[in-house]
Amino acid sequence: MNPAEALRSHAQELAKSGELRKQLLKVKENLKPIEHSPMKILDARVFPIEMELEKAFETSFGRFDRMTKVFVTMTLEDQDGKKVTGIGESSPLPFPWYDGESHETVLTVINKHILPKFRDEEKPLKPIMSVEGLKQLYGGIVGNNMAKVGFEAAYWDALGKHLGIPVSQLWGATRTEVEVGTSIGLEATAEAMLEKVDQAVEQGVKRIKIKIKPGRDVYYVKAIREKYPLLMLQVDGNAAYDLDNPEHVTALAELDDYHLTMIEQPLNNDDRHYHLELSRKIRTPICLDESILNVRHAIEVIETWAKEGILDRLVINIKPPRVGEFWEGVQIAKICEAVGVPVWCGGMLESALGKTANVHFSALSGVNMPGDHVSQGKYYKKDIADPLEAVNGLIAVPTEPGWGVKNLTVSF
Ligand code: OSB
Ligand code: MG
């Protein structure tokens, strides 16, 4: 038994006796965000920028060729009056198809409900001493995770710059380089898909994920497997499959023959329960993306998969924007690590800034599978900073203070 198997087996025992949830909550409680001397939040500002994708990206829910990113800057001031500004990214899709957010909802929530908290003349902001203080400002807003995340990201960047250390170290992350995977959108034919796969293999990525949807799944996978029998390969259904449609279930079960690393979010984007039922029927591990929005959801799926004795069939994709905060993501990664559940960092087609933040996040020891950090070629015609470069499927975690992005063109 390897160490992760031993952790899963122990967790399954604890689940049977009803102790597992308590243990997982303890992991969360023992994890405290870094505390620092009081910092005043002077201002937060928002810069929406439309960015054109190098190539249109298609998933089961739709196709898009441009994105409006919402960049957030935040200026903190220490007790000696020294100011530091950080930057973060909110990276919603153009339409509420992946989750309920779009760049319009993100901008509305930011302008109407978040920014006013930073500028309330009657309630001047108290200096903050950890990320918890920041969260108190807008933590009452339910959902809208993509709207919130840019603010927390800007805070981490500012704090890292203030303390002179990279953000990954603020979270206790220890990796110096992270493994890189790529996500390939739906293509019209298996040939076109293979061309993209060839390109990604040439790039040297550590694993490839392809988008699938009903009717466009097994034949893609079969074609790729014939050419690349040993490639680390996974598929993403983006909520397009229905457990009550026998054809869908048959296709998902057929995928068992192609030793995929995982099937990501085949069923509805708010569903966890029926994913468990599906996981009883197929051997390929199920990876949850859309339906894990917070620590509670992660604990719930770990507990229910463990009770069934199939914890080895669960993987969690953490996207910091989807869970609303990097810190929430850190907690989920720690909890998964404690029970041997693999984790990787997903992507939202972020700009070079958001991708860099994801690389810092992937430096956590609990994030132990290759993440969606690169495209096949570049993501955007014109990016807002230099993208981190992958060499032999690895990206070095920046060592400069904050995110350490280079040649940022958003001025603040
Ligand atoms: O489901 O992981 C997803 C892109 C947009 C919305 C959802 C997803 C994706 C990707 C691309 O798969 C990941 C990336 O390269 O950023
Ligand atoms: Mg996904």
Side-chain angles (χ1 to χ4, degrees), residues 28-304:
K28 174 182 144 119
E29 268 150 37
N30 291 339
L31 193 66
K32 299 272 183 264
I34 183 168
E35 293 205 2
H36 46 82
S37 56
M39 303 283 281
K40 245 203 288 194
I41 303 172
L42 294 187
D43 198 12
R45 293 169 65 196
V46 172
F47 305 82
I49 297 181
E50 189 182 83
M51 295 172 63
E52 204 180 333
L53 283 162
E54 180 74 14
K55 194 175 175 300
F57 191 80
E58 186 170 338
T59 71
S60 62
F61 52 70
R63 182 180 177 89
F64 36 92
D65 58 10
R66 60 197 59 240
M67 312 257 290
T68 298
K69 315 266 169 206
V70 184
F71 298 99
V72 179
T73 63
M74 188 181 297
T75 303
L76 304 179
E77 185 185 55
D78 71 9
Q79 286 163 308
D80 303 328
K82 213 175 118 228
K83 293 176 188 144
V84 61
T85 299
I87 182 163
E89 172 173 339
S90 283
S91 202
L93 295 191
F95 314 96
W97 291 340
Y98 163 81
D99 60 2
E101 295 181 86
S102 67
H103 60 255
E104 291 96 344
T105 72
V106 161
L107 281 166
T108 301
V109 169
I110 287 176
N111 286 316
K112 290 210 152 175
H113 303 292
I114 301 182
L115 278 181
K117 304 278 188 201
F118 287 85
R119 296 171 183 168
D120 189 343
E121 307 227 319
E122 274 157 38
K123 255 175 78 191
L125 301 180
K126 280 196 229 106
I128 60 171
M129 296 176 71
S130 81
V131 71
E132 307 288 356
L134 175 71
K135 257 195 301 183
Q136 275 172 16
L137 274 183
Y138 52 80
I141 296 170
V142 176
N144 294 285
N145 289 350
M146 304 261 173
K148 293 172 194 163
V149 74
F151 289 83
E152 196 223 20
Y155 158 83
W156 288 118
D157 185 38
L159 184 65
K161 287 173 176 163
H162 172 68
L163 298 174
I165 54 176
V167 175
S168 60
Q169 284 179 29
L170 297 176
W171 304 325
T174 49
R175 289 184 205 283
T176 55
E177 50 190 19
V178 305
E179 290 193 321
V180 172
T182 197
S183 171
I184 303 180
L186 283 165
E187 292 289 336
T189 61
E191 292 69 41
M193 180 64 88
L194 262 179
E195 247 174 63
K196 284 295 195 66
V197 172
D198 291 341
Q199 199 183 336
V201 168
E202 263 163 51
Q203 269 172 267
V205 298
K206 298 277 181 196
R207 71 101 173 103
I208 289 174
K209 141 176 153 185
I210 64 162
K211 296 289 185 182
I212 55 168
K213 70 179 197 182
R216 290 166 76 180
D217 37 38
V218 181
Y219 75 93
Y220 279 150
V221 171
K222 190 162 180 283
I224 297 170
R225 266 290 170 251
E226 273 165 13
K227 184 155 182 191
Y228 298 106
L230 299 176
L231 183 72
M232 184 172 173
L233 181 65
Q234 60 198 57
V235 295
D236 188 353
N238 283 112
Y241 291 79
D242 180 353
L243 188 62
D244 294 307
N245 182 324
E247 281 172 28
H248 290 191
V249 176
T250 303
L252 294 171
E254 249 178 78
L255 291 175
D256 271 349
D257 295 340
Y258 299 94
H259 58 99
L260 299 176
T261 311
M262 66 192 82
I263 300 178
E264 187 179 343
Q265 198 77 30
L267 308 181
N268 293 48
N269 41 16
D270 59 356
D271 174 76
R272 294 176 293 280
H273 178 81
Y274 293 108
H275 276 100
L276 174 66
E277 202 164 310
L278 176 64
S279 208
R280 289 197 200 107
K281 297 181 204 272
I282 64 176
R283 289 189 313 277
T284 310
I286 301 266
C287 170
L288 295 174
D289 171 355
E290 282 90 328
S291 56
I292 304 292
L293 297 176
N294 51 47
V295 168
R296 264 186 312 103
H297 291 164
I299 292 179
E300 175 197 317
V301 295
I302 290 168
E303 197 183 13
T304 51

Side-chain angles (χ1 to χ4, degrees), residues 331-369:
Q331 293 174 328
I332 297 172
K334 285 281 174 202
I335 285 169
C336 290
E337 190 176 16
V339 290
V341 169
V343 165
W344 55 281
C345 177
M348 288 299 295
L349 305 171
E350 290 90 343
S351 77
L353 173 76
K355 287 291 175 200
T356 301
N358 288 347
V359 166
H360 282 267
F361 180 75
S362 303
L364 290 163
S365 55
V367 181
N368 46 22
M369 296 185 99

